[in-house]
Amino acid sequence: MERLSLTDVRSDPDTVLKELTQDNPEPLACWLTALGVDVDGVRALPQWNSHLSTVGGRPRHRRLPADFDRHVGKVMDAAFRVAVDTPLGAALLCCYVRNLCEQAWKNSYHFDRMWATLRGARRAWLDHRAAAWHDADRAVTDVMCLLLEVLDWEIAVENEMIGNNLERLAVAARRAAGCAGAAVVAAEGIRCQHPQFADFASAAAGASRQVDLALAEAGRALHGFLSAETGGDSGPLDAALRRLAGVERGFECDRDQRSELRAYRNSLAAICAHAASDWLHIDEGTVVHAYPFAVRGMQPVTVVAAARASGNSWNLDGVRPEAVHQTLYLDDIWNGSDAMGRRYEGAVIVLPEVTIDDLDGRPLARLAADLRLSELGNHYLRLRADLREVSAHDLYGAMLRSAPEHAEVRVRCGGSDRMWPRLSAFAVDVIDSVGEWLGPPAAVSVRPGMFHVLVTVLEASLSAGPDAPRHRRRPVRTTEELLGAVGGGVLQQPVPNIIGAPVEWVHYAGRCDDLTAEVGGRRDELIGQTCNTTVIAALGSPAYCISTRLTVAEFVASLEGLFAGWFDALAIVLDRVTKQAGWSGSDAVDDVEELTRRAQLLEEEQMRLYTFAADARSTLDLIRSPALVASPLVSRELLALLRASSFDRREAELSRNIDAVLDERLGYWLDALVRRRREKEAQQARDRERRQRVRLDTMLAVIAAVGISGLGQIAQAGYDLRRLDALTVIIVIVTICVLVGAVAGWWSSDFARPRSRQRRGPEAAHDRSGAGYQPGPADDG
């Protein structure tokens, strides 16, 4: 079937709706545009990367701009005010909003933007409902608004899945199914007058109802099995599996819905397959969420000194510190032997306890929080929670909380009135506030995806099934038992940025980089690392025995912030020198003084960059040096963790970027500016010489003419050349000519002679040893 032309806006509502059911929303967009609806404004609302200059631009770190709800209300109010003046205009506008949010849902975890758009559309319809074209229009639009509510709850289902909250997942899925059922009933009420709209709503709502009921049953069964509510009975899991498979085979669901059902079914099948296997329990341990960052524009020692002096009075986005400790929490293994006296040291700003609740207000976690500021520049926010009697599923949920893709929850810190939607948002806001409190020129480098989760396991146990009480479980003795149990894969995988099904961790079978052999570990000890997680297990040792390993692992994890600061600084330098060089317009610059000024600015940037490179490489050398710590074994562990964390790759990347800016950019631009200045100076010299010769030739011609004319007049006047007065006049004329000629000759020769004065400025240094020359103490130029 040939699709409707995008420019054919004369089509009737049934035609554009039919195109929408075939995944072609553009005719509907054109139809709404013809009505006068700001389609571009509506389209931008649920998109994570849309630019909204009126509300502060692109949302940062998965958070809405402060007045986004007001902006949504304004756009939707204007859209519905126009749409209600046309038959079925408001109904089709709801269909378009639903399609936009469905497409945004496939590409983004910015659920809050989608929720705000869906709810804003429903509020706007209620505000303009009385002005609808006809009662039948009101009924049709009411049905379409029910579909918006169904989608709202279906997004909530995925939000709870990402948060690892199976109980709330089941509740949200039941709510979605209830709304879908109401839409199916309401669709029958509009079938007489608008059968195509009734078919559209009935098909969409009917499929959603079946899918959501199956997801709700799967969520209930998983929650009951993992939380011991069912007493280990796998019967509900089997029933949920059969229902998922039945709906998946049905013809009502579209491709996306079937893929979601398949993912749920695979997770439940894996759980059923391991129902009688040995399941892992963490009886005693910790989880640490580390958010590294850097402070640019201020020396790390100065940052630490400022925290020690005034950190108690800092207001970190509404969070008031409880205390400031003058040193880091370190054992004496960090008392190294660096020849310059450098070591890993700093200050700690203790923050109030952080609490995490779900959207119903039920507590999920409590974390101790502090900011650790280092004199080496590897700062980080540290959030620590104890693990006691937790299952692998609960451990996985605790690890997921670091990620910016985590579900929306309620995060609070102490008595602050602020509430954050997730832990990463809290971390970024607090870290940003450090830079604001330090003030210019300090600036913070932080990214929400730059986090690391460190899990320590001191005691673990195994049981047949996930629900055995402590007295029926046997202790884990070796790391092979630890990693081989159901749930052991949670310790071996990174925190994912996308989750496709509940209890997805059951599929994990790969191993992380096991560093145990490299550090001389025992069979009951483990050190493993991925790109964003580190696991440290010491099943037969007291807690203090692994405290050093934990601090070493945290030190390595915090280095990502240091690299981020260096790379940001390089990017800023490159942007600044590009503007200073003004290379794109330098050919139009003819003023030698302006070229000299630009070259001097570039040379100053070059020298600053040399200093920056020297400081960075000195810090990297210290980090890798055995002199940083007092134990060769700890030094070996540190080097092993550095290798596993891609430290060498990041260091090489930094060196390449520094060299590229210094040699390929700064050196090239500086040479070009110096060369252009010389060309301008030579051109100016040639122009002056040409003008001078013209003046000289003119003067000599005048003098010759005057002299010859004067002598001729004396001769014509009949003066006796032997008389004293005539002779005197002749002598005076000749003397003047000789003097003027001598002065002109000296002037000309002095102008033509090369200048011997010593040149000052950036090109003098360049002439001695090229673009890479660095003036030393003995250079007077």
Side-chain angles (χ1 to χ4, degrees):
M1 176 181 176
E2 184 178 354
R3 286 196 166 186
L4 190 69
S5 170
L6 300 186
T7 59
D8 187 1
V9 296
R10 297 167 297 175
S11 302
D12 60 272
D14 287 345
T15 302
V16 294
L17 181 64
K18 187 175 183 179
E19 289 293 317
L20 184 66
T21 60
Q22 298 175 0
D23 294 328
N24 183 21
E26 293 307 319
L28 176 54
C30 294
W31 190 86
L32 292 171
T33 301
L35 297 186
V37 174
D38 179 15
V39 170
D40 289 337
V42 175
R43 184 186 290 122
L45 295 177
Q47 301 299 321
W48 71 269
N49 57 349
S50 61
H51 293 271
L52 299 172
S53 58
T54 57
V55 291
R58 185 180 301 183
R60 296 179 62 246
H61 312 316
R62 287 191 64 204
R63 279 170 292 168
L64 295 178
D67 55 350
F68 186 75
D69 284 336
R70 183 187 62 80
H71 176 73
V72 171
K74 181 179 178 181
V75 172
M76 288 299 180
D77 180 76
F80 275 92
R81 182 181 292 111
V82 172
V84 293
D85 289 338
T86 300
L88 298 175
L92 285 174
L93 178 58
C94 289
C95 293
Y96 186 63
V97 170
R98 178 176 177 269
N99 180 266
L100 289 174
C101 291
E102 282 183 328
Q103 297 305 314
W105 187 21
K106 295 177 182 178
N107 302 319
S108 171
Y109 277 137
H110 288 74
F111 297 155
D112 44 6
R113 294 181 69 93
M114 304 168 206
W115 282 329
T117 302
L118 292 168
R119 296 166 191 176
R122 287 156 56 197
R123 287 195 301 268
W125 163 241
L126 292 177
D127 292 339
H128 294 278
R129 189 174 184 275
W133 184 265
H134 191 271
D135 288 345
D137 274 18
R138 293 191 188 93
V140 174
T141 310
D142 287 341
V143 175
M144 299 305 140
C145 269
L146 279 174
L147 295 183
L148 297 184
E149 188 174 1
V150 172
L151 182 59
D152 190 321
W153 279 110
E154 288 178 336
I155 295 174
V157 172
E158 185 172 356
N159 183 72
E160 301 307 331
M161 180 185 70
I162 297 169
N164 212 43
N165 194 328
L166 297 174
E167 185 177 11
R168 282 184 54 84
L169 182 153
V171 171
R174 283 199 302 271
R175 297 279 182 86
C179 291
V184 170
V185 174
E188 295 305 313
I190 62 173
R191 184 169 297 280
C192 293
Q193 292 180 300
H194 298 287
Q196 187 160 339
F197 280 83
D199 290 343
F200 172 81
S202 180
S208 290
R209 181 174 181 275
Q210 290 194 48
V211 171
D212 294 330
L213 286 174
L215 299 186
E217 185 172 351
R220 281 198 308 272
L222 284 171
H223 174 71
F225 182 75
L226 295 175
S227 64
E229 288 184 359
T230 60
D233 180 15
S234 60
L237 286 176
D238 295 332
L241 266 174
R242 289 192 296 272
R243 181 159 195 165
L244 287 168
V247 177
E248 184 183 350
R249 289 192 299 268
F251 295 102
E252 296 86 354
C253 303
D254 60 27
R255 181 185 60 184
D256 292 334
Q257 290 172 323
R258 281 195 294 271
S259 67
E260 185 177 5
L261 291 166
R262 182 172 61 251
Y264 271 69
R265 178 172 54 79
N266 287 338
S267 286
L268 264 70
I271 291 292
C272 289
H274 294 95
S277 302
D278 287 336
W279 287 65
L280 177 66
H281 300 263
I282 306 299
D283 301 325
E284 189 72 31
T286 62
V287 59
V288 173
H289 307 273
Y291 291 91
F293 66 98
V295 178
R296 308 185 312 274
M298 185 177 289
Q299 290 296 322
V301 174
T302 307
V303 174
V304 172
R308 287 169 175 165
S310 60
N312 281 307
S313 62
W314 291 5
N315 185 341
L316 303 176
D317 201 42
V319 176
R320 294 283 185 178
E322 292 185 340
V324 174
H325 297 168
Q326 300 297 305
T327 59
L328 293 176
Y329 302 122
L330 302 172
D331 55 36
D332 58 4
I333 207 72
W334 291 96
N335 187 18
S337 55
D338 179 62
M340 299 174 61
R342 299 170 299 174
R343 67 180 186 183
Y344 181 39
E345 187 52 270
V348 178
I349 299 178
V350 181
L351 304 179
E353 185 180 58
V354 173
T355 59
I356 304 177
D357 300 330
D358 65 20
L359 296 180
D360 290 331
R362 292 178 296 184
L364 297 175
R366 308 177 75 88
L367 303 98
D370 56 65
L371 276 165
R372 303 199 170 188
L373 306 176
S374 162
E375 292 180 355
L376 296 180
N378 54 315
H379 319 301
Y380 66 104
L381 173 66
R382 184 179 190 267
L383 302 164
R384 177 184 179 275
D386 290 330
L387 300 175
R388 291 189 176 88
E389 298 290 327
V390 299
S391 65
H393 180 72
D394 293 332
L395 172 61
Y396 186 60
M399 295 171 66
L400 290 177
R401 292 184 186 122
S402 284
E405 296 84 11
H406 188 261
E408 185 167 337
V409 290
R410 295 175 179 174
V411 178
R412 290 185 174 86
C413 184
S416 173
D417 295 332
R418 284 291 311 273
M419 185 172 67
W420 291 267
R422 53 192 58 85
L423 207 57
S424 63
F426 164 76
V428 170
D429 282 352
V430 169
I431 291 169
D432 275 339
S433 297
V434 173
E436 295 170 3
W437 192 263
L438 290 171
V444 167
S445 292
V446 61
R447 297 191 299 272
M450 197 165 60
F451 66 89
H452 203 88
V453 182
L454 302 102
V455 178
T456 62
V457 179
L458 292 174
E459 187 177 358
S461 57
L462 303 175
S463 67
D467 61 334
R470 178 69 178 272
H471 68 276
R472 292 175 52 191
R473 303 199 298 259
R474 69 180 189 278
V476 175
R477 303 295 186 189
T478 65
T479 57
E480 288 80 4
E481 290 180 320
L482 181 73
L483 300 178
V486 178
V490 172
L491 301 172
Q492 305 174 67
Q493 293 293 324
V495 174
N497 69 310
I498 186 170
I499 297 175
V503 200
E504 198 173 57
W505 53 264
V506 75
H507 299 294
Y508 291 165
R511 293 180 63 88
C512 60
D513 293 330
D514 190 350
L515 310 174
T516 307
E518 296 189 52
V519 299
R522 309 181 318 194
R523 290 189 63 204
D524 59 352
E525 292 183 352
L526 170 69
I527 298 181
Q529 190 175 69
T530 71
C531 60
N532 58 20
T533 64
T534 299
V535 56
I536 302 173
L539 302 173
S541 304
Y544 65 81
C545 287
I546 64 170
S547 62
T548 297
R549 283 184 178 172
L550 180 58
T551 56
V552 170
E554 290 184 22
F555 175 83
V556 172
S558 67
L559 295 179
E560 185 61 27
L562 195 59
F563 280 111
W566 285 335
F567 282 115
D568 287 350
L570 277 175
I572 293 170
V573 168
L574 181 58
D575 179 69
R576 188 166 61 239
V577 299
T578 302
K579 294 176 181 178
Q580 289 175 356
W583 184 244
S584 60
S586 62
D587 289 340
V589 177
D590 293 327
D591 184 45
V592 173
E593 292 185 359
E594 174 63 18
L595 291 172
T596 301
R597 184 189 69 84
R598 293 188 182 189
Q600 288 174 341
L601 289 174
L602 286 181
E603 188 180 50
E604 292 171 2
E605 291 289 353
Q606 188 181 51
M607 299 312 300
R608 280 195 287 266
L609 192 52
Y610 274 122
T611 302
F612 164 82
D615 290 343
R617 285 165 177 156
S618 175
T619 301
L620 292 172
D621 289 341
L622 176 63
I623 291 170
R624 205 170 31 250
S625 169
L628 181 62
V629 293
S631 166
L633 180 58
V634 175
S635 177
R636 183 180 175 184
E637 293 179 2
L638 175 57
L639 290 175
L641 286 168
L642 288 174
R643 284 193 298 271
S645 67
S646 301
F647 177 83
D648 294 338
R649 179 183 58 81
R650 299 288 279 164
E651 182 181 14
E653 185 181 359
L654 179 67
S655 295
R656 285 196 304 270
N657 286 3
I658 291 174
D659 293 341
V661 176
L662 274 174
D663 299 332
E664 298 176 15
R665 300 297 182 90
L666 266 172
Y668 172 77
W669 283 329
L670 195 52
D671 284 342
L673 285 174
V674 170
R675 183 173 61 253
R676 183 160 180 78
R677 176 186 169 175
R678 288 174 179 170
E679 293 172 355
K680 292 297 181 183
E681 286 180 333
Q683 181 63 40
Q684 290 179 356
R686 288 192 295 270
D687 292 344
R688 285 198 301 270
E689 183 178 4
R690 185 174 60 253
R691 290 193 299 269
Q692 184 61 27
R693 284 177 179 172
V694 171
R695 295 193 193 100
L696 179 61
D697 292 344
T698 302
M699 184 182 298
L700 291 176
V702 170
I703 291 173
V706 171
I708 294 172
S709 175
L711 293 176
Q713 289 178 358
I714 292 174
Q716 291 176 359
Y719 282 101
D720 185 359
L721 297 179
R722 292 172 296 179
R723 292 181 55 186
L724 181 60
D725 53 351
L727 186 60
T728 302
V729 172
I730 292 171
I731 292 172
V732 169
I733 291 173
V734 172
T735 302
I736 292 175
C737 290
V738 171
L739 289 175
V740 171
V743 171
W746 172 83
W747 187 5
S748 177
S749 63
D750 181 70
F751 179 81
R753 185 169 57 248
R755 304 294 176 91
S756 60
R757 66 181 179 86
Q758 185 177 10
R759 284 180 289 114
R760 305 282 178 173
E763 72 275 18
H766 256 58
D767 286 347
R768 288 193 288 269
S769 61
Y773 176 75
Q774 300 184 59
D779 289 312
D780 58 4

